[in-house]
Amino acid sequence: MKILLLGSTGMAGQAFETHLVAMGHEVVGAARSQANINLDISVNEALLLVLETGNFDAVVNAAAIVDIERCELDPLLSWKTNAAPLAILATWTREYKIPLLHISTDHYYPYGDNFPHGEDAPVYFLNTYAKHKYAAEAFALASPYSLVLRTSILSSRKNGGKTLVEWALDSLSTGKRISVFSDAWTSSMDVDSFARLGWEMFNEKQAKGLYNLACREVYSKEALIRGLAEKIGYTQDNLFPASIKDVFLNRPNCLGLDPSRAEKILGKKCPDLNTVLDNLLYSMKFSEGKNILH
């Protein structure tokens, strides 16, 4: 299968490319730079040219601006990157009957604490990023050949700035004081599990429509960081509970997702927090409390 992978240099894109190549697929990565095709997805004509000339069997869209503040500062760029391309992709996939996998977000819920939100739960928009990602879902779902996955992923990066996990491990290893949010709820899963299960839903199960694909536990950011510390054997004396509401005014904090519909399609459970932590540390080559990358 020949697959166009948009956003191939991001966290999700890298994981999908690794998994798809291992499965024997031909992957054509597209990103602003350092990809098979250097593509600015916000330029409609450029995106259409790639679609029309690539002879693809499927499209995976992992491209997005995920920096919340950048989206606020430049809402036009956010719209042109996070939302508008899905109108083009949906039209093209509908016309040529080509399946589309679109990766969405969980940034819709400022209510419910650790409640796991289903796909039909009411959504609220506290920032531009959330508005545009929701619009992208609507565009994508206009095609009957689309699978939209709401999620939150955890990983390290091969390039770019530090991720939450990398920052946490660095701070833990150096004994820096860390304010851990006890009221920021999530069901983030490791990106490798997401890529593997997401592709299984898309390709093997041929699921269509909107699904949550996430950790089957809703946990706090505090629990995540304490879990990492416990797994590696770092002290937790430098961890101090804090409230996300004292730091971010435009961020929803109750981001738990209910993946039960996806689990029914897959015929298996999504990973729990303990498994997510193990997968993260394995992928980053932590062993017996030591980072063997160095």
Side-chain angles (χ1 to χ4, degrees):
M1 181 182 291
K2 186 177 182 181
I3 302 157
L4 174 62
L5 176 57
L6 300 169
S8 60
T9 58
M11 285 198 300
Q14 291 171 16
F16 266 97
E17 183 166 18
T18 298
H19 180 67
L20 295 178
V21 169
M23 296 287 288
H25 297 295
E26 179 184 356
V27 179
V28 179
R32 288 179 178 271
S33 62
Q34 301 180 326
N36 302 119
I37 300 174
N38 291 336
L39 170 67
D40 183 349
I41 196 175
S42 69
V43 179
N44 295 348
E45 296 80 8
L47 175 57
L48 274 171
L49 180 63
V50 170
L51 292 171
E52 295 288 353
T53 59
N55 194 29
F56 300 110
D57 300 305
V59 178
V60 177
N61 181 40
I65 297 174
V66 298
D67 185 325
I68 304 296
E69 298 310 318
R70 186 180 179 193
C71 292
E72 292 298 319
L73 292 171
D74 195 342
L76 179 58
L77 179 61
S78 173
W79 175 261
K80 292 169 68 175
T81 305
N82 290 343
L86 273 301
I88 293 172
L89 290 170
T91 299
W92 184 81
T93 58
R94 186 170 60 243
E95 180 177 354
Y96 293 100
K97 298 180 172 59
I98 302 296
L100 167 66
L101 170 57
H102 172 61
I103 301 171
S104 192
T105 186
D106 59 352
H107 271 247
Y108 301 133
Y109 312 108
Y111 67 93
D113 291 333
N114 62 341
F115 177 78
H117 299 86
E119 290 85 351
D120 296 329
V123 300
Y124 294 85
F125 309 125
L126 300 190
N127 52 58
T128 298
Y129 171 76
K131 293 176 186 177
H132 292 171
K133 290 294 286 187
Y134 190 76
E137 291 183 2
F139 287 142
L141 293 170
S143 168
Y145 303 99
S146 295
L147 171 63
V148 176
L149 296 177
R150 288 182 180 167
T151 193
S152 173
I153 54 176
L154 296 168
S155 182
S156 59
R157 279 198 182 101
K158 295 179 182 177
N159 49 56
K162 289 182 178 179
T163 65
L164 170 64
V165 173
E166 290 170 319
W167 168 83
L169 291 173
D170 179 67
S171 298
L172 287 167
S173 67
T174 57
K176 295 178 183 176
R177 178 188 174 99
I178 308 176
S179 295
V180 289
F181 296 139
S182 57
D183 59 349
W185 302 97
T186 183
S187 48
S188 301
M189 72 190 310
D190 62 285
V191 72
D192 293 327
S193 293
F194 174 73
R196 175 175 51 83
L197 295 174
W199 183 253
E200 184 176 343
M201 288 185 67
F202 180 62
N203 186 50
E204 297 177 29
K205 304 300 184 181
Q206 297 188 10
K208 301 294 186 293
L210 174 65
Y211 289 86
N212 295 331
L213 185 60
C215 175
R216 59 186 171 94
E217 288 184 61
V218 180
Y219 55 89
S220 68
K221 294 292 179 66
E222 178 181 8
L224 170 66
I225 296 176
R226 290 193 183 278
L228 288 169
E230 183 176 348
K231 289 278 185 183
I232 304 172
Y234 288 144
T235 181
Q236 299 182 38
D237 293 342
N238 58 326
L239 305 184
F240 297 90
S243 173
I244 190 173
K245 297 175 183 178
D246 294 333
V247 181
F248 299 108
L249 298 178
N250 64 340
R251 306 276 182 97
N253 66 306
C254 307
L255 306 184
L257 296 175
D258 177 3
S260 58
R261 290 183 63 241
E263 290 176 332
K264 289 180 181 179
I265 293 289
L266 291 164
K268 66 184 77 171
K269 294 290 186 181
C270 289
D272 58 15
L273 175 57
N274 185 64
T275 304
V276 167
L277 293 173
D278 285 342
N279 291 343
L280 282 170
L281 295 176
Y282 178 80
S283 70
M284 298 176 72
K285 296 181 172 60
F286 270 82
S287 176
E288 296 179 357
K290 295 181 180 179
N291 184 344
I292 60 175
L293 284 171
H294 303 292

